Amino acid sequence: MVGSGWASRRRYAKDRRLARESPRARGARPGVEPGAGYAFEGHAPLQVRFPCPVCNQRIRVPVRGRLRARCGLCGTVVECDT
Ligand SMILES: [Zn+2]
């Protein structure tokens, strides 16, 4: 995510890899560590969801590199690097 520090970007990359490699090993509830601010779900295509920085509405986008996601609730456009 834009604005994230180096450490959280590293963690994101690691979580993304884990989500790709073992989509079922993470249990019935898809997701990542609590408090990470995002969660992965689905598989082929893998998707990531994260809260809108403005209204906290969940935004879900496919994992395919840098893209712009638009919040369905408040219309905020968030640039993210998935
Ligand atoms: Zn929003």
Side-chain angles (χ1 to χ4, degrees), residues 33-70:
E33 312 157 40
Y38 53 82
F40 292 100
E41 57 184 31
H43 185 56
L46 182 65
Q47 295 184 313
V48 62
R49 65 187 157 83
F50 57 94
C52 170
V54 175
C55 67
N56 258 3
Q57 168 81 7
R58 289 285 174 176
I59 303 173
R60 193 177 348 176
V61 295
V63 173
R64 62 176 185 210
R66 185 168 276 277
L67 52 81
R68 282 169 189 241
R70 191 168 175 280

Side-chain angles (χ1 to χ4, degrees), residues 1-2 9 62-68 79-82:
M1 303 299 151
V2 172
R9 290 185 66 88
V63 173
R64 62 176 185 210
R66 185 168 276 277
L67 52 81
R68 282 169 189 241
E79 262 199 59
C80 49
D81 196 358
T82 53

Side-chain angles (χ1 to χ4, degrees), residues 5-40:
W6 181 83
S8 59
R9 290 185 66 88
R10 289 265 303 185
R11 185 174 64 176
Y12 177 87
K14 176 170 151 276
D15 290 339
R16 180 177 57 192
R17 183 168 51 78
L18 284 172
R20 277 206 171 116
E21 287 175 355
S22 53
R24 309 219 180 274
R26 305 189 72 82
R29 281 189 57 189
V32 192
E33 312 157 40
Y38 53 82
F40 292 100

